[in-house]
């Protein structure tokens, strides 16, 4: 167990986040948002606002800060105030800048907006008839995919030929990331250009987007985000406050700080789509899958800019089946944008698929674990590329033993006034890598610095840099200074997709080899201590025969204070040889009160096959956080959108999240099989897989306890009331 290197700063309050920065003469901005869901802005009366105390400037679509639409690895990023069109309730439509935050907020309340309103469509259920085909999905595959056994004409024929069929519809709710740190930014200009302090999942990505938006040379844009107060996918794109603060600071010639209010975070950002999913499973009497059909619909903003790939993220790969048909459609609505949220596609998709698998086990009178193991896949259906390393059966076997699964009965058990049930589910999340570059600096004081522009939004990446850097340089972790969150460091890409450890770690190994090569060249160069000798490196020392010097001693002896090298890594030919994923087995014990029907999770266990675990303490924390989020999705979390587009519970009072009293015993176990087919470090991602399958495991446990099958989450007391 290794403590996180950033822990002392965070627990003592010394870690500086974006809005912790203050500068002389700094102004404060407040975002104005729409109060209708579908309209054209006819006019905005700002005379009273401009006359309010302390107000310096007011910007609207009629008098806007000019911003271009950036494009990049995440596609187009929406920028505020460039259109009079309103497509959802809570859309940013104005920006008030004043001498204090309170002055800007109060003046913003004086803005009067006239709308030319249009009918708004805000319900996924009502909009299903208008569903559209989304752009191509994962792996370049289209929205529909069908794999049929020889002689089978259609998936319906395959289902009809199955001895046992489950065919049901499942729904999941809209969610918001609700990160502790609201989206915010501090922007200032000086002779060197623009500097923006803002929590984001990739400083180099944010710098690029700001440069495009403001039509600037990327070399003069500096994005800084050493600490991020939670992201989960919601801070991949540059935020509205960052765009507006940067543009206003340029226009006004003063630093500008802007932060969304907690209520604005629920609309002026983006969240997880709601879904409707129809899953049909056909099997023979022995439980072997013959057919899998998974049709999915998801909500999306009016521009259809994001699709939640539920069927493609689960049924496409999870189980061996002779016949497979999946489809994905989107329903454009007048709602806030949707975007990546922890395990996008896999989290809501697994609720539907893993609930259906549990229903099939009931129909077959078969143990749910046995059913899953009988349909274990060696490769995604229809693909020749086998999994690089898969030990899912072992996850279930170890989990069943540790959790006491043998004591489970088909109808649960009763303890006093509580009905107790056990549930399980499979968890899978693709093992990915992004391109990353690392800089390593050897210092004459026997320390080393490892730097990349990527972010640590609570995942523990700083500690990973320290550990992998120390291992690669063969020195103690305490001698490594890890650095993240600065666009002037080598490009580290985005911290997302459970990619950071594999991406940065592999690049560290390359950079370490390069800097050691440079060190050995220096050691044997003319006039150096090992001139003309064949040298080697071990334990932080340069060696030749019986002579040895630390790298710091060598640098000092050659008059150097530092020695620097970079290393880069990206996905390569391994993608043509194997399929890659992390795997897990989720176990949950749920108690439902006989009379009040409240449901509580009393125990949960996750057993995971995620390759090599670099830091067990951080990895365990990441997994537990995801598992808790899965409980939240199952029992608490869901945005309620009124017909006019207003969020009925768009704050932390009405948007339910679990607290300590809601979470019982949580346990995590890793089975470690380093996956060096995937990357040289052998590690696969753990950041997102923890949430996958959890909601289904909870719902399956509720069924085991009560006999009531709930196919919509979050599960409420009303769902569990007896007729």
């Amino acid at each position: 167990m290794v403590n996180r290197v950033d822990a002392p700063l965070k627990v003592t309050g010394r870690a500086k986040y974006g809005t912790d920065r203050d500068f002389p003469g700094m102004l404060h901005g407040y975002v104005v948002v729409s109060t209708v869901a579908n309209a054209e802005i006819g006019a905005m009366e700002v005379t009273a606002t401009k006359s309010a105390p302390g107000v310096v400037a007011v910007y609207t679509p009629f008098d806007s800060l000019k911003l271009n639409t950036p494009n990049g690895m995440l596609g187009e990023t929406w920028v505020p105030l460039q259109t009079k069109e309103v497509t959802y309730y809570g859309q940013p439509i104005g920006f008030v800048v004043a001498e204090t935050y309170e002055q800007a907020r109060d003046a913003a309340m004086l803005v009067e907006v006239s709308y030319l309103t249009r009918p708004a469509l805000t319900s996924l259920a009502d909009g299903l008839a208008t569903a559209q085909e989304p752009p191509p999905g994962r792996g370049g595959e289209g929205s529909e995919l069908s794999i049929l056994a020889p002689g089978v004409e259609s998936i319906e024929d395959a289902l009809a030929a199955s001895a046992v069929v489950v065919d049901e519809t499942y729904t999941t709710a809209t969610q918001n990331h609700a990160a502790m740190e609201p989206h915010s930014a501090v922007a200032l200009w000086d002779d060197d250009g623009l500097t923006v302090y803002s929590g984001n999942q990739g400083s180099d990505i944010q710098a690029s987007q700001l440069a495009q938006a403001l039509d600037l040379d990327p070399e003069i844009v500096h994005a800084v985000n050493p600490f991020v107060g939670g992201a989960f996918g919601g801070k991949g794109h540059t935020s509205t406050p960052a765009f507006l603060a940067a543009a206003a600071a340029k226009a006004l010639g003063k630093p500008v700080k802007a932060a969304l209010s907690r209520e604005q975070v629920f609309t002026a950002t983006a969240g997880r789509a709601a879904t409707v999913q129809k899953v049909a499973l056909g099997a023979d009497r022995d439980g072997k899958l013959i057919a899998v059909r998974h049709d999915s619909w998801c909500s999306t903003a009016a521009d259809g800019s994001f699709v939640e790939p539920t069927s493609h993220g689960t049924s496409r790969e999870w189980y061996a089946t002779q016949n497979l048909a999946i489809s994905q459609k989107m329903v454009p609505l007048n709602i806030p944008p949707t975007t990546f949220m922890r395990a996008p596609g896999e989290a809501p998709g697994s609720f539907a698929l893993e609930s259906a698998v549990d229903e099939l086990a009931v129909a077959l009178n078969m143990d749910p674990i046995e059913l899953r193991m009988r349909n274990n896949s060696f490769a995604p259906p229809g693909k020749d590329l086998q999994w690089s390393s898969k030990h899912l059966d072992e996850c279930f076997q170890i989990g069943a033993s540790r959790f006491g699964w043998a004591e489970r009965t088909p109808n649960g058990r009763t303890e006093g006034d509580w009905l107790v049930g056990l549930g399980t589910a499979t968890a899978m999340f693709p093992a990915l890598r992004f391109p990353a570059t690392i800089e390593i600096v050897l210092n004459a004081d026997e320390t080393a610095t490892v730097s990349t522009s990527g972010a640590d939004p609570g995942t523990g990446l700083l500690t990973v840099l320290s550990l992998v850097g120390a291992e690669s340089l063969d020195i103690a972790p305490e001698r490594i200074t890890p650095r993240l969150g600065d666009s002037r460091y080598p490009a580290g890409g985005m911290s997302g997709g459970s990619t950071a450890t594999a991406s940065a770690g592999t690049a560290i190994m390359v950079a370490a080899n390069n800097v050691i090569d440079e060190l050995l060249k220096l050691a044997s160069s003319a006039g150096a201590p090992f001139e003309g000798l064949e040298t080697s490196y071990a334990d932080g020392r340069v060696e030749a025969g019986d002579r040895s010097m630390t790298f710091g001693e060598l640098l000092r002896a050659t008059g150097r204070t530092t020695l620097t090298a970079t290393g880069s890594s990206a996905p390569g030919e391994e993608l043509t040889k194997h399929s890659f994923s992390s795997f897990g087995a989720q176990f949950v014990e749920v108690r439902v009160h006989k009379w009040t029907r409240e449901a509580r999770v009393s125990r949960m266990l996750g057993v995971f096959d995620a390759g090599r675990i670099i830091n067990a303490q951080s990895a365990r924390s990441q997994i537990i956080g995801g598992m808790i989020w899965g409980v939240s999705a199952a029992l608490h979390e869901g945005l309620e959108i009124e017909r006019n587009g207003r969020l009925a519970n768009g704050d932390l009072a009405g948007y339910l999240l679990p607290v300590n009293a809601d979470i019982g015993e949580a346990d995590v176990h890793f089975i470690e099989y380093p996956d060096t087919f995937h990357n040289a470090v052998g590690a696969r991602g753990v950041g997102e897989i923890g949430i996958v399958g959890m909601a289904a495991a909870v719902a399956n446990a509720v069924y085991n306890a009560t006999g009531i099958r709930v196919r919509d989450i979050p599960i409420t007391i009303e769902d569990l009331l007896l007729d």
Side-chain angles (χ1 to χ4, degrees):
M1 292 287 186
V2 177
N3 291 329
R4 293 169 58 128
V5 297
D6 52 339
L9 291 176
K10 289 183 174 179
V11 300
T12 59
R14 290 179 290 144
K16 283 198 171 185
Y17 294 81
T19 52
D20 289 332
R21 312 285 176 157
D22 291 303
F23 297 95
M26 187 171 69
L27 303 173
H28 296 260
Y30 191 88
V31 177
V32 180
V33 298
S34 67
T35 55
V36 298
N38 191 15
E40 180 183 349
I41 301 173
M44 293 182 70
E45 176 54 57
V46 297
T47 302
T49 303
K50 289 182 176 180
S51 302
V55 172
V56 176
V58 179
Y59 301 101
T60 73
F62 297 93
D63 183 16
S64 180
L65 294 159
K66 179 67 175 71
L67 292 164
N68 304 316
T69 300
N71 207 337
M73 66 173 291
L74 298 177
E76 290 190 349
T77 295
W78 184 85
V79 292
L81 277 59
Q82 306 307 300
T83 178
K84 300 179 183 67
E85 293 296 313
V86 172
T87 58
Y88 62 93
Y89 196 113
Q91 175 181 314
I93 59 172
F95 191 55
V96 178
V97 182
E99 294 174 356
T100 70
Y101 172 82
E102 291 77 14
Q103 288 173 333
R105 178 197 60 198
D106 294 349
M109 302 302 112
L110 301 176
V111 176
E112 297 180 6
V113 186
S114 300
Y115 299 99
L116 304 173
T117 59
R118 298 182 288 258
L121 181 61
T122 60
S123 165
L124 176 58
D126 293 345
L128 288 176
T130 66
Q132 302 176 5
E133 298 287 333
R138 292 186 177 184
E141 297 168 344
S143 60
E144 295 188 10
L145 174 68
S146 181
I147 299 170
L148 300 175
V152 177
E153 296 294 326
S154 70
I155 193 68
E156 300 306 326
D157 289 347
L159 288 167
S162 301
V164 179
V165 175
V166 167
D167 190 350
E168 298 293 348
T169 299
Y170 307 86
T171 70
T172 65
T174 302
Q175 296 178 349
N176 187 270
H177 303 78
M180 287 190 292
E181 178 195 24
H183 297 64
S184 57
V186 175
L188 69 154
W189 289 76
D190 56 26
D191 293 341
D192 295 327
L194 168 67
T195 300
V196 175
Y197 300 88
S198 178
N200 188 271
Q201 289 176 242
S203 58
D204 59 314
I205 296 172
Q206 181 167 237
S208 173
Q209 291 182 342
L210 288 169
Q212 292 181 60
L214 295 165
D215 200 17
L216 299 171
D217 182 344
E219 294 297 320
I220 69 168
V221 180
H222 183 200
V224 184
N225 62 323
F227 298 101
V228 185
F232 317 111
K235 293 176 181 173
H237 292 277
T238 299
S239 67
T240 286
F243 282 126
L244 294 177
K250 182 180 182 182
L252 300 173
K254 291 187 176 183
V256 174
K257 176 185 289 190
L260 297 179
S261 69
R262 179 56 64 182
E263 292 82 1
Q264 289 174 342
V265 167
F266 282 84
T267 64
T269 60
R272 194 195 294 278
T275 74
V276 174
Q277 302 175 64
K278 294 184 177 181
V279 179
L281 304 178
D284 62 22
R285 291 291 179 186
D286 292 328
K288 291 292 291 183
L289 283 171
I290 295 173
V292 174
R293 188 191 70 216
H294 191 164
D295 301 313
S296 186
W297 295 259
C298 72
S299 60
T300 188
D303 62 0
S305 56
F306 183 82
V307 175
E308 188 86 12
T310 45
S311 55
H312 288 56
T314 53
S315 294
R316 173 66 185 89
E317 297 187 336
W318 283 27
Y319 292 107
T321 181
Q322 303 170 40
N323 303 279
L324 172 71
I326 59 175
S327 71
Q328 178 76 60
K329 292 186 177 181
M330 63 180 184
V331 180
L333 299 173
N334 296 114
I335 60 171
T338 57
T339 191
F340 308 97
M341 185 182 287
R342 201 169 199 167
E346 288 82 7
S350 64
F351 169 69
L353 176 61
E354 290 301 292
S355 293
V357 170
D358 200 72
E359 295 203 56
L360 181 61
V362 173
L364 289 164
N365 193 27
M366 182 179 293
D367 183 271
I369 293 178
E370 177 63 25
L371 177 61
R372 288 173 170 85
M373 292 173 65
R374 289 190 183 189
N375 292 285
N376 188 17
S377 67
F378 294 100
K383 290 187 178 181
D384 295 330
L385 301 182
Q386 292 191 354
W387 301 113
S388 59
S389 175
K390 183 179 184 181
H391 303 274
L392 181 58
D393 282 3
E394 188 173 343
C395 292
F396 274 113
Q397 291 162 355
I398 291 174
S401 175
R402 289 172 65 104
F403 205 67
W405 187 260
E407 299 175 7
R408 175 185 179 273
T409 64
N411 299 312
R413 68 181 192 274
T414 301
E415 294 183 3
D417 285 341
W418 294 91
L419 307 174
V420 184
L422 302 184
T424 191
T426 295
M428 286 178 57
F429 192 81
L432 306 171
R433 275 202 295 151
F434 290 153
T437 300
I438 294 286
E439 178 188 76
I440 293 181
V441 180
L442 299 181
N443 301 307
D445 64 358
E446 309 291 355
T447 65
T449 303
V450 178
S451 306
T452 188
S453 69
D456 186 345
T459 55
L461 181 56
L462 272 171
T463 308
V464 168
L465 296 188
S466 176
L467 293 174
V468 178
E471 179 179 89
S472 301
L473 293 173
D474 210 5
I475 60 177
E478 295 77 19
R479 292 167 59 187
I480 298 288
T481 300
R483 301 193 304 177
L484 282 169
D486 192 313
S487 62
R488 291 179 177 169
Y489 300 156
M494 184 179 69
S495 182
S498 296
T499 62
T501 296
S503 303
T506 308
I508 288 171
M509 295 179 70
V510 176
N513 286 334
N514 291 342
V515 80
I516 290 171
D517 286 345
E518 292 300 313
L519 183 70
L520 296 180
K521 288 179 184 178
L522 176 65
S524 59
S525 63
F530 297 91
E531 179 180 354
L533 298 178
E534 184 173 335
T535 57
S536 61
Y537 178 90
D539 297 323
R541 307 179 71 88
V542 176
E543 300 175 344
D546 58 356
R547 297 180 59 191
S548 173
M549 295 180 73
T550 67
F551 67 75
E553 291 171 340
L554 178 63
L555 291 177
R556 294 193 295 272
T558 54
R560 302 283 295 267
T561 57
T562 62
L563 183 65
T564 302
T566 62
S568 299
S569 177
E573 65 175 9
E574 75 274 4
L575 299 179
T576 66
K577 297 180 179 179
H578 295 283
S579 296
F580 299 100
S581 181
S582 288
F583 307 91
Q586 305 277 27
F587 294 85
V588 168
E589 179 184 81
V590 168
R591 296 170 180 266
V592 178
H593 198 274
K594 279 185 181 180
W595 314 117
T596 66
R597 310 309 282 182
E598 63 180 296
R600 294 193 172 275
V601 174
S602 48
R603 288 192 298 135
M604 54 185 177
L605 166 68
V607 182
F608 297 93
D609 167 24
R612 179 188 173 199
I613 302 302
I614 302 300
N615 183 6
Q617 181 168 279
S618 292
R620 183 177 186 275
S621 294
Q622 280 291 290
I623 291 289
I624 287 178
M627 292 169 67
I628 291 171
W629 198 336
V631 172
S632 180
L635 299 178
H636 305 90
E637 201 168 343
L639 279 172
E640 300 169 14
I641 305 175
E642 298 177 346
R643 299 198 71 85
N644 67 352
R646 176 182 174 273
L647 300 184
N649 60 336
D651 54 51
L652 291 184
Y655 186 74
L656 298 183
L657 296 167
V659 297
N660 285 349
D662 295 307
I663 303 300
E665 176 187 329
D667 193 14
V668 174
H669 180 77
F670 293 107
I671 59 171
E672 289 198 57
Y673 294 92
D675 189 352
T676 52
F677 288 117
H678 183 251
N679 64 83
V681 179
R684 299 196 300 257
V686 298
E688 298 178 79
I689 194 173
I691 189 175
V692 181
M694 274 301 294
V698 172
N700 295 341
V702 166
Y703 175 81
N704 182 239
T706 66
I708 299 173
R709 176 66 65 179
V710 183
R711 302 184 179 94
D712 312 291
I713 55 173
I715 299 169
T716 66
I717 287 175
E718 290 81 359
D719 294 322
L720 302 178
L721 292 176
L722 301 175
D723 293 334

